[in-house]
Amino acid sequence: DTGVSQDPRHKITKRGQNVTFRCDPISEHNRLYWYRQTLGQGPEFLTYFQNEAQLEKSRLLSDRFSAERPKGSFSTLEIQRTEQGDSAMYLCASSRGLAGLNTGELFFGEGSRLTVL
Amino acid sequence: DAKTTQPPSMDCAEGRAANLPCNHSTISGNEYVYWYRQIHSQGPQYIIHGLKNNETNEMASLIITEDRKSSTLILPHATLRDTAVYYCIVRVGGNYGGSQGNLIFGKGTKLSVKP
């Protein structure tokens, strides 16, 4: 399978604990996005990487959230001191960044569902 | 905020065409109309996009009105596996990253295909 993969698919944690999600994008894609989706809502943008550079962060990304993409390949999203309001599906997406080859299509993974008790 | 308006839900009989409307009255000249769908417990999946001409691919057809203020996604022969939430999104097309390349999702239309 050469699609976007996310790990773990499900995570249950207690309030106050730290959690980390991993995203492996499609190999030739240099752009990587993180989204969050709560029940009944559409996905909301969190942050975006071009290669290893984090170029944009949403106001939704509080200080407890940190995302990295150290080698421009996989990315991690860490949530520190989790709160019940952090319970959501965390989606990763990737896309090409080459001019002329990018139709604007984002390829999404299946998401990592977080439940904070 | 999303720049599109969609009905919250629709039903369609299996084998019939599903026509999903979308209003985007404030669309700019350089913005494309994109459609994605999200099947339960999966990530969103790209369907189709267009600027002003009607588009067709193996999944669906996209009809955009001449004034570009609305569009319709057509699934010609809906199956049970087409049951999903369908999102209509407008954004600048092509090679952009960050907020320009970002997708701003609304709540979409929940399509239920019934046997």
Side-chain angles (χ1 to χ4, degrees):
Chain A
D1 185 12
T2 57
V4 177
S5 62
Q6 293 188 245
D7 182 72
R9 292 292 313 280
H10 303 274
K11 178 71 176 180
I12 300 173
T13 191
K14 293 182 178 179
R15 183 164 50 94
Q17 298 295 305
N18 299 344
V19 296
T20 299
F21 301 114
R22 175 179 170 126
C23 171
D24 287 90
I26 294 171
S27 59
E28 65 267 27
H29 287 182
N30 64 350
R31 291 181 177 162
L32 188 147
Y33 294 81
W34 284 99
Y35 285 79
R36 180 179 72 182
Q37 185 173 26
T38 53
L39 197 62
Q41 304 296 316
E44 298 171 291
F45 169 74
L46 291 179
T47 190
Y48 152 74
F49 289 86
Q50 172 104 357
N51 300 313
E52 67 276 8
Q54 187 175 17
L55 297 184
E56 193 160 343
K57 292 193 288 188
S58 161
R59 286 173 293 179
L60 293 175
L61 210 67
S62 76
D63 292 344
R64 297 183 298 103
F65 287 69
S66 63
E68 294 182 345
R69 195 182 183 198
K71 297 181 180 179
S73 57
F74 73 91
S75 175
T76 57
L77 177 67
E78 180 183 17
I79 309 174
Q80 296 182 325
R81 306 181 302 282
T82 53
E83 302 173 356
Q84 289 184 325
D86 297 331
S87 294
M89 175 77 83
Y90 291 86
L91 292 160
C92 177
S94 69
S95 72
R96 294 177 183 273
L98 298 175
L101 296 178
N102 186 351
T103 63
E105 178 182 353
L106 268 61
F107 295 80
F108 284 84
E110 296 198 339
S112 294
R113 181 169 295 283
L114 174 64
T115 301
V116 182
L117 302 176
Chain B
D1 292 336
K3 301 179 184 180
T4 62
T5 304
Q6 299 177 253
S9 64
M10 292 182 64
D11 290 342
C12 178
E14 187 179 19
R16 304 298 294 268
N19 297 283
L20 293 93
C22 180
N23 285 319
H24 32 79
S25 58
T26 61
I27 192 170
S28 301
N30 62 348
E31 288 181 317
Y32 286 63
V33 180
Y34 283 79
W35 283 84
Y36 280 71
R37 74 178 183 184
Q38 187 171 24
I39 295 170
H40 183 62
S41 295
Q42 295 184 21
Q45 175 193 22
Y46 167 84
I47 301 173
I48 198 168
H49 76 285
L51 182 62
K52 53 184 176 182
N53 296 324
N54 298 337
E55 302 288 344
T56 295
N57 63 20
E58 65 278 4
M59 291 183 68
S61 295
L62 174 61
I63 309 298
I64 303 174
T65 57
E66 193 169 342
D67 63 7
R68 303 210 319 123
K69 293 184 177 182
S70 66
S71 60
T72 302
L73 179 75
I74 301 172
L75 308 179
H77 306 286
T79 70
L80 299 178
R81 287 174 293 181
D82 292 322
T83 292
V85 178
Y86 287 77
Y87 296 100
C88 170
I89 300 162
V90 297
R91 56 147 278 190
V92 177
N95 186 30
Y96 295 97
S99 57
Q100 283 187 300
N102 183 22
L103 298 174
I104 300 176
F105 291 83
K107 294 186 178 182
T109 296
K110 184 173 183 179
L111 175 68
S112 298
V113 181
K114 300 182 183 298

